[in-house]
Amino acid sequence: MTTTEMPDPKELQSRLKQLGFHGLLAHWEEIHNAPWLPSLLAWEEAERQRRSLERRLRNARLGRFKPMADFDWSWPRKIDRAQIDDLMTLRFLDEGANAVLVGPNGVGKTLIAKNLAHQALRRGYTVLFLTASAMLNDLAAQDSASALEKRLGRYLRPRLLAIDELGYLAYGNHHADLLFEVISRRYGGEKPILLTTNRVFAEWNQTFPNASCVVSLVDRLVHNAEISTIEGDSYRLK
């Protein structure tokens, strides 16, 4: 006859502390051998993890998206599948590196980016996903330095900031300065940016035609970054 071994008491105490079960800790001598204790902890941990994921998913604003299983790897003329698979391991995020997906409209950049963001959420990270225009217009709309500083916090707090569709619109100098501010502050705090763009970096002066900070902005973004280039025709026109 075999018996189920109780977990290490120190491990149980540590888990109780992490969950904030101070009442149970106060009666530790009475309950430390109770057969229901490991199950109680497992149930509570699982439920908190589920609720945490739901909250982070809601805050991330991913919206609906297709899974990578639906991605047609044969469609792009050029794509480094091994590199994309490596990005999916989130090594870049663990190492504090940025990730940039470069390619024309309709080759799957947003699909890949949303799957990367979702993977990060499942790993326990906080994420915010939005378009470049939504972020830059939101920051530009702030009417004072204090309001801007407060609003910047929204884009500096998440562990991963995913900026989609940079390059589809042209912006003025102020918008370029705001993007530089976000990139610089996240760079200093080792909080990665996941960015999709339809323009190679040499063309970013067309996105920010008169901005003097474009070279510095690109340099700061790519200094420690995984850059994946995708080439092909729009899948949506297939």
Side-chain angles (χ1 to χ4, degrees):
M1 181 177 179
T2 60
T3 58
T4 302
E5 293 185 4
M6 287 288 289
D8 178 59
K10 290 184 178 179
E11 177 197 343
L12 291 176
Q13 278 187 305
S14 176
R15 290 163 67 188
L16 285 170
K17 289 178 182 177
Q18 289 178 351
L19 293 170
F21 285 173
H22 303 296
L24 292 178
L25 285 168
H27 295 273
W28 176 249
E29 292 302 324
E30 302 167 47
I31 60 120
H32 71 279
N33 283 325
W36 49 262
L37 183 57
S39 295
L40 174 69
L41 287 170
W43 294 336
E44 183 65 23
E45 288 165 344
E47 177 61 17
R48 293 194 185 190
Q49 289 171 3
R50 184 191 67 79
R51 293 174 65 183
S52 173
L53 177 58
E54 284 187 352
R55 182 177 64 254
R56 285 180 285 107
L57 277 167
R58 184 170 59 252
N59 293 337
R61 301 190 176 187
L62 276 183
R64 299 180 65 180
F65 63 96
K66 293 182 178 180
M68 286 302 298
D70 289 348
F71 187 78
D72 186 353
W73 293 96
S74 65
W75 180 255
R77 288 192 300 272
K78 173 186 175 182
I79 187 170
D80 189 336
R81 183 168 184 172
Q83 185 182 33
I84 300 299
D85 288 342
D86 183 65
L87 288 174
M88 287 296 172
T89 69
L90 301 184
R91 181 174 57 85
F92 77 96
L93 183 54
D94 297 333
E95 296 175 355
N98 295 328
V100 183
L101 304 174
V102 185
N105 183 41
V107 293
K109 302 185 303 298
T110 298
L111 184 152
I112 294 171
K114 287 195 172 185
N115 276 273
L116 285 168
H118 187 255
Q119 184 78 344
L121 287 164
R122 292 182 62 85
R123 185 78 67 83
Y125 291 116
T126 53
V127 176
L128 178 60
F129 191 102
L130 76 171
T131 63
S133 61
M135 182 184 75
L136 295 178
N137 288 333
D138 176 42
L139 290 173
Q142 306 308 306
D143 58 4
S144 68
S146 59
L148 174 60
E149 190 66 27
K150 182 178 180 180
R151 200 60 169 170
L152 277 167
R154 181 188 182 203
Y155 305 107
L156 301 178
R157 279 191 294 272
R159 184 71 169 85
L160 177 65
L161 176 64
I163 305 173
D164 196 26
E165 299 181 349
L166 182 68
Y168 291 87
L169 300 174
Y171 300 97
N173 293 357
H174 184 47
H175 288 78
D177 292 339
L178 291 169
L179 181 59
F180 180 75
E181 190 71 18
V182 171
I183 290 174
S184 296
R185 293 204 194 185
R186 291 188 65 86
Y187 175 85
E190 295 186 347
K191 289 187 173 182
I193 288 174
L194 168 62
L195 185 140
T196 74
T197 178
N198 65 328
R199 292 189 181 276
V200 296
F201 298 117
E203 297 177 351
W204 276 33
N205 59 348
Q206 298 176 38
T207 301
F208 303 103
N210 302 307
S212 60
C213 67
V214 173
V215 174
S216 299
L217 187 157
V218 172
D219 181 65
R220 191 63 58 88
L221 178 68
V222 304
H223 173 251
N224 182 25
E226 291 284 341
I227 302 171
S228 179
T229 301
I230 306 172
E231 297 177 3
D233 299 320
S234 173
Y235 189 81
R236 290 189 286 273
L237 297 178
K238 181 181 177 182

